[in-house]
Amino acid sequence: HDQPKPAVPMFHVLSMDGKVENPDFDPKLEKDVAVKIMTTMVTMNAADRVLLEAQRQGRISFYMTCTGEEGESTASIAALNSDDMVYMQYREAPVMMYHGWGIPEMVSQCMGNKEDKLKGRQMPIHYGDADLHVQMVSSPLCTQVPHAAGTGYAYKLDGKGRICICYLGEGAASEGDFHAGLNFASTVGSNTLFFVRNN
């Protein structure tokens, strides 16, 4: 079926029919990795619906979905090593799920119950897990950027090939910390990947 060309060119690997259209960028994923990515995205979508409904019913105090954004955080974390450091913002819960968290861990954190690793000492959706190399989400917008720049610099000095990924969006690029963090990272050659989405 003929489709009009977009007004703004769009990078894509697959056509709308699911065929590889740009073979130079085909990641050639192993089947188990592709299944894990898809399972994470579908499970996260279902968890979002349940937890948003729980928030609307007053069962949890706060919740932000990642609906429609599951693919970006799932695919990006799948491309990294499990010991790379992660700084999330608000909508990267699939990162936790890809690394092994399930719906029970997410619900426990959002409810702040005794099964929560943080024992209810953090706001809902402020995920983090030191065992998974995922730093705690911080409420103020963009505070993770300077931290990620510093972590990436430490990894550069360490020389073991680790990197740090820092997710940001929701207007974070308008904050002073964004400019300070990226300036520092570019000046020192920090091993940090800044993933700006939905800004």
Side-chain angles (χ1 to χ4, degrees), residues 3 15 36 52 62 88 91 95 109 142 151 177 186 193:
Q3 295 197 357
S15 69
K36 185 176 179 181
L52 181 62
F62 179 74
M88 302 187 303
R91 302 184 193 275
V95 166
Q109 196 284 323
C142 202
T151 300
D177 282 345
S186 66
L193 171 61

Side-chain angles (χ1 to χ4, degrees), residues 142 168-175 178-179 196 199:
C142 202
L168 59 138
E170 272 90 30
S174 298
E175 296 291 322
F178 172 78
H179 302 284
V196 182
N199 197 58

Side-chain angles (χ1 to χ4, degrees), residues 40-189:
T40 299
M41 291 189 301
V42 170
T43 305
M44 189 64 236
N45 189 275
D48 262 354
R49 288 195 308 270
V50 170
L51 288 167
L52 181 62
E53 207 170 283
Q55 187 271 328
R56 297 291 191 246
Q57 294 170 357
R59 296 173 192 271
I60 57 176
S61 62
F62 179 74
Y63 192 74
M64 292 176 75
T65 67
C66 64
T67 306
E69 299 182 36
E70 304 94 332
E72 57 197 35
S73 53
T74 305
S76 59
I77 204 65
L80 301 181
N81 294 324
S82 61
D83 65 343
D84 289 331
M85 188 62 71
V86 179
Y87 286 84
M88 302 187 303
Q89 193 165 306
Y90 307 130
R91 302 184 193 275
E92 288 80 31
V95 166
M96 302 298 292
M97 198 167 274
Y98 189 84
H99 277 310
W101 267 38
I103 293 175
E105 289 85 359
M106 294 181 73
V107 170
S108 294
Q109 196 284 323
C110 287
M111 297 189 89
N113 63 26
K114 69 180 185 176
E115 281 83 32
D116 175 21
K117 280 181 120 177
L118 308 172
K119 305 297 180 210
R121 296 185 191 106
Q122 186 61 282
M123 286 179 62
I125 76 154
H126 285 53
Y127 306 115
D129 191 323
D131 297 334
L132 302 178
H133 305 283
V134 179
Q135 295 294 320
M136 195 67 53
V137 172
S138 174
S139 286
L141 198 60
C142 202
T143 57
Q144 74 276 23
V145 172
H147 297 271
T151 300
Y153 182 48
Y155 288 164
K156 176 188 175 183
L157 296 175
D158 191 35
K160 294 183 180 173
R162 290 177 70 190
I163 72 160
C164 174
I165 186 168
C166 178
Y167 295 94
L168 59 138
E170 272 90 30
S174 298
E175 296 291 322
D177 282 345
F178 172 78
H179 302 284
L182 265 67
N183 188 36
F184 176 82
S186 66
T187 301
V188 300

